[in-house]
Amino acid sequence: MRGKMLAPRRAALVAALSAVLALGVPGSVTAAGADAGNGHPADTHASDVYVTPTGDDHAQGTARHPVRTLQRARDLARTRAARAKGDLTVHLASGTYRTDKPLVLDARDSGRNGHTIVWQGTGSTVISGGKQVQGWQPVHGRPGLYSAPAPRGLTDTRQLYVDGVRAQRARGEVPVGLTPTATGYTTTADTLAHWRHPSDAEFVYSSGEELWNVERNGLGQWTEPRCRIAAAKDTTLTMVQPCWDNSNKRVEFPDIPGRTVSMVGPGHLTNNGKASYIENAYELLDQPGEWYLDRSAHTVYYMPRKGENIRHADVEAAAAEKLVDGRGTAAAPVHDVAFRGLQFSYATWLTPSSSEGFSEIQAGYTVTGPTGWATQGLCGFVEGGTCPFASWTPMPGNVSFAYGTHIEFSDDAFTHLGAAGLELGTGTTDSQVKGSTFTDISGNGLEIGAVDGRTPASGVEVTNNHLYALPREFHGSVGILNGYTQHNTLAHNQLDHLGYSAISMGWGGWPDKVGSPVTPNSSHDNAVRDNLIFDYMQMFDDGGGIYTQGLTGTSQADGEKVTGNVIHDQWGLGKSVYTDNGCTYETVEGNVLYGASYANVASSHTDYRDQLGNHDPTLIKDNWWEEGTADGDNKGLVTTGNHIMTAPSDAPAAIVGNAGIEPAYRGILSRTAGAVSAPEAPSRVGTSTAGSDALYAIFNPSFVDGGSPVLGYTAHALRPDGTEAATATLSAADYKRQAYIRISGLRADAGPFTVTVTAANAHGISAPSLASAPLRPTAATVLPAAPTGPKLRTEAKAATVAWTPPTDMGDAKVIGYRLTVSDGRTIEVTGRDALVGQPSGKGMFRVIGGLTPGTSYTVTVAAVTAAGAGPAATVKATTKAG
């Protein structure tokens, strides 16, 4: 591989392994023991197996005569495990081990007599499901475009990487208008019918909040479903089945209009079925970094980025769908197996490209099967509904285990992957994931347990891992997904730069939406503690830093504990700690929570297990936050001892210093995946008028920075003919604070204008984003109404002022608020929550510090638009005595 591997690794381990593998070293204990069968004295390492990428599978698997493949090494380990006097180690030398099929492990591949079989890499050992693409040549008549023959055996893929940098499947705006039908769409023109292979093309339905003129498509603000075209004839598009029905025919309660029986999202694709963009067609190849596989012609197309020499690059097409597949059973689990110092890369997942598509419910779970929309997971609510409730189809892991005991992944890297990174599924017990990195993964980073009612995962410890810059393709996925589990611990991890929620716990709580008890499950005694989570929900909404729903235990004592976490800088609308439907017996204690968009800890739900009208029992105690909710017992929702913080420095140093990766493991924070590159393009671009000659541009930031921090963003206003009319640039720090860019110098009669946005880091400039909807600047003269429901929640020296947006914002969009304090201060409030609060109707808050104990204060709140500041709402309160 030319792409950089995750580094640095333990130098001592590399040196030791190099010595072991050195041929003909006199006195080498391992070499002598390995050749004991040839007359050399045996020792405790006689059973070890040695593998190199240039080995020979007909060899003995010794240090002097290593084998080549993982499968041959597994078979040798099976025969040698019985005679091993300690742990048996499969030594994997540095290099790339290419595989078309997974390393399948079952009970025969387990450790014996209390010992472990260790698959030991060097930190530069790569288990790859990729195939190299070579022989690139310019495409005649298409300047900048290159093609190469697809490698032998590559029939399809969803991912291509150039020198370790993920390329973008060719994408663009849907070139025709769409009107949905029972089987697909009718179109305003026959354009798609004339494409080379319209049945390769895939519609993508991005969601998120409906902000300014950004559309909310898909199946909920947290989803991004995908369905492929089956056929295009004239102006008729037929979409693949069952993806189309599973996304448009979800059963609704006959007596509750709009409420699906699944109780998760709408019953059909929103916004009249409009697709956000289209992907995977030759005709869409128009930007550097885009690629397309013509399966019929067996040809890969790619448009190189600036500075790339495609003829000399390492181009990897992900081919295998699994790299390691641990197939234990309840009667015969895989046990006592460890993977250390390995990198798992270049695997794909082809189900979304099939007729199943990707009909998302939440966190990568999908509705599947020909009658999935009518029955799957609808236990007890429809005739023939499958049980248990909400048992939809999970996203698979490219590395996966079921019924595994004492499974360990340490010092590993999961990167350049096309499904979930690692899946420790049904029946996993007493296992560890530690000191590892998860990045550049299409879907969920790490999945634990399942929601299908089978044996829960138990005793899984996930500690000191770094999960970042994901998901790359299925953007509703999360960093760590934990289903129905027991005695699991997620501690001292760092999760940052994520498109949606960081950690998602639990399942099955949605029946409270229709007044029914939440789904019984086996979860209890799970802990989420001392994690550092920041820059999350950078693309979608309605999630959290730590999101939990459903029963977490049988009492407050054995319910889920969320303690000692530091969670800050959320972009999307949601909560730092989100206690969603049916979240029962959760304790949220001693956390530091700030920079949220909507709430630090929320929300409350009625507990329908009895008819008393109480809330799901929850304890919110001794947190440092900005929300400022007063102490009280709200029908079982207990809030006590929390502290308003005016700045991160207010929080106890002991909590802040203890959160995140512990000192012994912090070296993993400096590891990189692939070459440093330009950032990924921003997403979900929208506009609002900024007056008669200007537009405001809003977008979701680039959470994939290419290994170098994003320095700034440039908004490009384009005339109807595609030429550039004006640009405006803002630093990344200022955009994070302000959440919009003003583009001035626009002539209204030259519009309407669309806007694209590029991101820049020290290495280069991203491709342009997909364009916003067109808009013509207009004068704004009507002021917004006053905000509503102002509250002032006080402590001795600080107060939280909370309010909800105005119901009437005049003839422009809210871009901020102006607070005036009776001590003479004026505070300008900006940020993404200020922009999204008005259309969503969600409340917001800000902290005012530097107050005097026992003093009465008056605060006014006014909304600001392009027309100016509107009338203010007023609230008064007295700070607590010191």
Side-chain angles (χ1 to χ4, degrees):
M1 291 176 54
R2 289 181 176 272
K4 294 180 182 178
M5 299 171 191
L6 287 178
R9 296 286 193 176
R10 291 174 284 192
L13 174 62
V14 175
L17 187 56
S18 298
V20 166
L21 294 176
L23 300 182
V25 177
S28 170
V29 174
T30 305
D35 281 349
N38 294 327
H40 296 285
D43 69 0
T44 57
H45 298 284
S47 300
D48 284 1
V49 179
Y50 293 82
V51 197
T52 72
T54 57
D56 181 353
D57 275 358
H58 293 95
Q60 299 171 355
T62 65
R64 290 193 176 115
H65 303 288
V67 296
R68 182 177 61 84
T69 67
L70 305 181
Q71 287 77 13
R72 179 57 178 157
R74 173 204 60 198
D75 294 344
L76 289 173
R78 281 178 180 174
T79 63
R80 298 178 185 181
R83 71 172 190 253
K85 297 180 180 180
D87 292 348
L88 186 156
T89 300
V90 179
H91 300 275
L92 297 167
S94 297
T96 299
Y97 296 81
R98 297 185 181 276
T99 181
D100 294 322
K101 55 187 178 182
L103 172 65
V104 176
L105 304 177
D106 58 33
R108 295 172 292 173
D109 305 301
S110 304
R112 313 284 176 84
N113 304 316
H115 300 302
T116 301
I117 295 181
V118 180
W119 293 77
Q120 180 69 67
T122 69
S124 296
T125 301
V126 181
I127 312 302
S128 171
K131 292 181 179 292
Q132 283 188 308
V133 185
Q134 299 174 320
W136 293 94
Q137 298 293 333
V139 175
H140 180 70
R142 288 291 306 271
L145 185 63
Y146 284 73
S147 68
R152 174 177 289 184
L154 182 70
T155 57
D156 200 4
T157 184
R158 295 181 64 88
Q159 295 85 29
L160 189 78
Y161 303 84
V162 180
D163 284 337
V165 177
R166 181 181 292 234
Q168 171 64 55
R169 285 215 303 177
R171 67 175 183 174
E173 295 180 15
V174 180
V176 292
L178 300 173
T179 300
T181 67
T183 58
Y185 298 96
T186 56
T187 63
T188 54
D190 64 353
T191 306
L192 294 175
H194 296 287
W195 281 12
R196 285 189 180 188
H197 304 294
S199 61
D200 282 352
E202 185 173 282
F203 282 174
V204 184
Y205 305 88
S206 292
S207 197
E209 288 293 341
E210 198 169 27
L211 173 61
W212 293 3
N213 64 357
V214 180
E215 296 172 338
R216 180 191 295 172
N217 301 322
L219 292 163
Q221 297 95 302
W222 55 91
T223 66
E224 191 177 61
R226 294 165 172 262
C227 282
R228 186 170 54 79
I229 296 172
K233 183 178 181 181
D234 298 328
T235 58
T236 298
L237 292 185
T238 303
M239 303 300 288
V240 294
Q241 294 286 14
C243 186
W244 185 249
D245 280 355
N246 286 339
S247 302
N248 285 286
K249 294 175 67 175
R250 296 180 182 178
V251 182
E252 297 183 357
F253 286 106
D255 55 344
I256 311 176
R259 173 64 71 198
T260 60
V261 175
S262 74
M263 292 168 265
V264 191
H268 54 83
L269 292 166
T270 55
N271 197 19
N272 200 31
K274 186 171 183 180
S276 302
Y277 58 95
I278 187 171
E279 193 172 88
N280 199 42
Y282 177 85
E283 290 75 10
L284 299 171
L285 286 164
D286 62 356
Q287 294 293 336
E290 289 187 332
W291 69 278
Y292 168 68
L293 169 63
D294 187 326
R295 294 178 297 160
S296 298
H298 209 60
T299 300
V300 183
Y301 294 92
Y302 178 66
M303 188 171 287
R305 301 176 178 98
K306 183 179 179 180
E308 286 180 338
N309 185 336
I310 192 61
R311 287 177 168 173
H312 294 92
D314 173 31
V315 182
E316 301 280 346
E321 294 195 72
K322 275 194 185 293
L323 300 176
V324 178
D325 192 3
R327 300 177 182 175
T329 66
V334 185
H335 60 88
D336 297 290
V337 181
F339 299 85
R340 300 171 182 165
L342 303 174
Q343 177 171 323
F344 301 96
S345 292
Y346 303 122
T348 190
W349 178 39
L350 296 178
T351 296
S353 298
S354 74
S355 59
E356 286 285 5
F358 189 73
S359 181
E360 189 171 26
I361 281 279
Q362 184 168 315
Y365 277 85
T366 55
V367 179
T368 60
T371 61
W373 60 274
T375 62
Q376 190 175 23
L378 303 184
C379 179
F381 289 99
V382 298
E383 185 177 353
T386 61
C387 296
F389 174 74
S391 57
W392 297 295
T393 302
M395 177 183 295
N398 290 134
V399 177
S400 68
F401 272 83
Y403 292 101
T405 298
H406 296 125
I407 306 300
E408 174 196 323
F409 288 88
S410 62
D411 198 31
D412 295 318
F414 298 84
T415 183
H416 313 322
L417 297 173
L422 172 61
E423 177 188 9
L424 298 178
T426 295
T428 303
T429 62
D430 300 326
S431 296
Q432 294 182 316
V433 183
K434 61 182 179 181
S436 297
T437 54
F438 295 76
T439 189
D440 191 18
I441 296 170
S442 289
N444 298 313
L446 169 62
E447 296 179 348
I448 310 168
V451 298
D452 56 8
R454 294 189 293 167
T455 306
S458 177
V460 178
E461 295 183 357
V462 179
T463 59
N464 290 293
N465 302 285
H466 187 200
L467 300 96
Y468 68 101
L470 60 89
R472 296 298 304 273
E473 185 176 1
F474 309 109
H475 294 114
S477 302
V478 303
I480 300 176
L481 177 64
N482 184 93
Y484 295 148
T485 62
Q486 303 169 357
H487 298 284
N488 283 3
T489 299
L490 313 181
H492 288 291
N493 301 289
Q494 178 171 314
L495 301 97
D496 61 89
H497 293 84
L498 303 169
Y500 183 50
S501 296
I503 297 174
S504 182
M505 304 282 291
W507 204 249
W510 296 287
D512 71 3
K513 291 184 176 182
V514 294
S516 296
V518 299
T519 306
N521 68 75
S522 54
S523 294
H524 60 82
D525 290 290
N526 292 312
V528 186
R529 59 175 178 81
D530 306 319
N531 299 287
L532 174 61
I533 299 170
F534 60 94
D535 289 341
Y536 60 98
M537 289 177 62
Q538 298 281 290
M539 189 169 178
F540 286 158
D541 297 271
D542 201 0
I546 298 172
Y547 170 94
T548 303
Q549 61 138 299
L551 287 166
T552 74
T554 63
S555 68
Q556 207 71 46
D558 71 358
E560 182 180 305
K561 304 297 188 295
V562 177
T563 61
N565 302 283
V566 175
I567 305 174
H568 64 88
D569 291 312
Q570 168 191 305
W571 184 260
L573 191 66
K575 295 98 178 180
S576 309
V577 177
Y578 193 162
T579 55
D580 203 5
N581 294 96
C583 180
T584 306
Y585 300 127
E586 177 160 326
T587 297
V588 183
E589 182 174 1
N591 303 282
V592 176
L593 313 169
Y594 61 95
S597 179
Y598 183 29
N600 289 134
V601 183
S603 51
S604 61
H605 296 272
T606 300
D607 185 350
Y608 291 102
R609 294 177 300 165
D610 54 37
Q611 301 301 316
L612 302 179
N614 291 322
H615 286 139
D616 297 320
T618 306
L619 176 62
I620 304 170
K621 179 182 179 183
D622 294 340
N623 299 285
W624 292 78
W625 62 0
E626 296 174 319
E627 181 178 325
T629 300
D631 288 358
D633 183 344
N634 183 9
K635 298 181 179 180
L637 173 61
V638 178
T639 304
T640 181
N642 301 288
H643 309 274
I644 294 175
M645 54 188 291
T646 61
S649 58
D650 289 347
I655 298 177
V656 175
N658 188 52
I661 295 172
E662 295 175 289
Y665 291 89
R666 286 179 186 163
I668 68 173
L669 294 174
S670 63
R671 296 177 185 170
T672 58
V676 177
S677 66
E680 190 173 72
S683 62
R684 293 182 53 76
V685 181
T687 54
S688 172
T689 185
S692 60
D693 64 349
L695 292 175
Y696 294 122
I698 176 72
F699 52 89
N700 286 353
S702 301
F703 62 90
V704 178
D705 62 15
S708 178
V710 175
L711 301 175
Y713 298 97
T714 299
H716 308 259
L718 308 177
R719 301 181 184 92
D721 63 3
T723 60
E724 191 168 86
T727 65
T729 297
L730 200 63
S731 73
D734 284 343
Y735 184 72
K736 184 175 184 177
R737 173 185 56 80
Q738 183 170 285
Y740 62 85
I741 296 178
R742 189 176 191 273
I743 313 171
S744 58
L746 301 175
R747 286 178 41 209
D749 60 356
F753 301 95
T754 57
V755 171
T756 63
V757 182
T758 54
N761 63 11
H763 191 78
I765 300 172
S766 75
S769 68
L770 295 169
S772 70
L775 185 68
R776 194 186 306 272
T778 58
T781 59
V782 181
L783 294 174
T788 59
K791 297 178 178 63
L792 197 58
R793 304 161 179 165
T794 63
E795 290 188 357
K797 297 182 180 180
T800 296
V801 56
W803 67 93
T804 50
T807 55
D808 181 357
M809 57 184 165
D811 57 0
K813 308 293 185 182
V814 172
I815 59 170
Y817 293 88
R818 183 168 299 156
L819 309 183
T820 59
V821 188
S822 54
D823 60 10
R825 283 182 285 173
T826 299
I827 301 170
E828 299 293 337
V829 174
T830 57
R832 207 262 189 175
D833 60 337
L835 277 57
V836 75
Q838 203 284 333
S840 65
K842 302 295 187 183
M844 56 183 300
F845 54 87
R846 286 296 187 274
V847 173
I848 303 171
L851 304 180
T852 302
T855 302
S856 176
Y857 287 90
T858 300
V859 178
T860 66
V861 186
V864 179
T865 71
T874 302
V875 62
K876 298 180 180 180
T878 300
T879 53
K880 298 178 181 178

